[in-house]
C-alpha cells in the first residue's frame, strides 16, 4: 500500500442532470464541463447515468434528446468552500454546458 496525503478541506459534491441532443457525446459533455471557469474548484466530473425514454417525448424529453447525470466534485486546497463559491462554480458549469452543447437542466 502507498500512503496518500489526506486533504485538509472537504470536497463538495453536486449531482446535475442535463438534457442534451442525442448526438452529444461523453467527450463533448466532459469538455464543456471542464472548460468552465471554476477558478480551479472543479476537480472531478463523472457521468453516472444516461436516461433515454422508451416512449417518445416522455419524462420532459423531446424526441432526439437524452438526459445525462453527472457527479461534480469541487474542492479548494486553501479553505472550506463557501456557498457563494459553490454557486458561482455551478453557474459557470451550467453556462458552459448551455453554450457548448445546448444543455438545459433537467427538473
Amino acid at each position: 500500500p502507498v500512503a496518500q496525503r489526506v486533504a485538509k478541506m472537504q470536497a463538495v459534491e453536486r449531482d446535475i442532470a442535463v438534457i442534451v441532443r442525442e448526438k452529444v457525446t461523453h467527450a463533448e459533455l466532459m469538455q464543456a464541463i471542464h472548460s468552465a471557469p471554476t477558478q480551479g474548484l472543479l476537480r472531478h466530473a463523472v457521468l453516472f447515468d444516461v436516461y433515454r425514454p422508451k416512449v417518445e417525448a416522455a419524462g420532459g424529453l423531446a424526441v432526439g434528446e437524452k438526459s445525462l447525470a453527472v457527479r461534480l466534485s469541487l474542492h479548494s486546497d486553501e479553505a472550506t468552500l463557501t456557498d457563494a463559491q459553490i454557486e458561482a462554480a455551478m453557474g459557470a458549469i451550467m453556462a458552459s454546458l448551455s453554450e457548448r452543447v445546448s444543455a438545459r437542466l433537467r427538473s
Side-chain angles (χ1 to χ4, degrees):
V2 177
Q4 295 181 0
R5 196 183 97 191
V6 176
K8 292 180 181 180
M9 306 301 162
Q10 189 167 347
V12 173
E13 290 187 343
R14 293 287 186 268
D15 292 346
I16 59 170
V18 294
I19 298 172
V20 296
R21 295 178 313 275
E22 183 62 46
K23 67 180 183 176
V24 172
T25 66
H26 176 263
E28 290 170 327
L29 179 79
M30 290 298 141
Q31 183 178 19
I33 290 170
H34 287 287
S35 67
T38 62
Q39 280 58 50
L41 298 180
L42 177 65
R43 299 297 172 93
H44 303 286
V46 177
L47 177 68
F48 69 88
D49 187 48
V50 177
Y51 172 70
R52 290 180 178 97
K54 293 181 181 175
V55 178
E56 291 184 4
L61 279 74
V63 174
E65 292 183 325
K66 62 185 172 184
S67 173
L68 303 174
V70 180
R71 177 159 294 135
L72 305 168
S73 180
L74 306 169
H75 183 260
S76 171
D77 293 328
E78 279 80 47
T80 301
L81 295 178
T82 65
D83 288 340
Q85 289 174 305
I86 296 166
E87 291 305 315
M90 295 301 296
I93 291 166
M94 285 308 303
S96 180
L97 283 167
S98 176
E99 178 184 319
R100 291 174 174 262
V101 295
S102 300
R104 66 184 189 277
L105 197 59
R106 184 173 178 191
S107 52

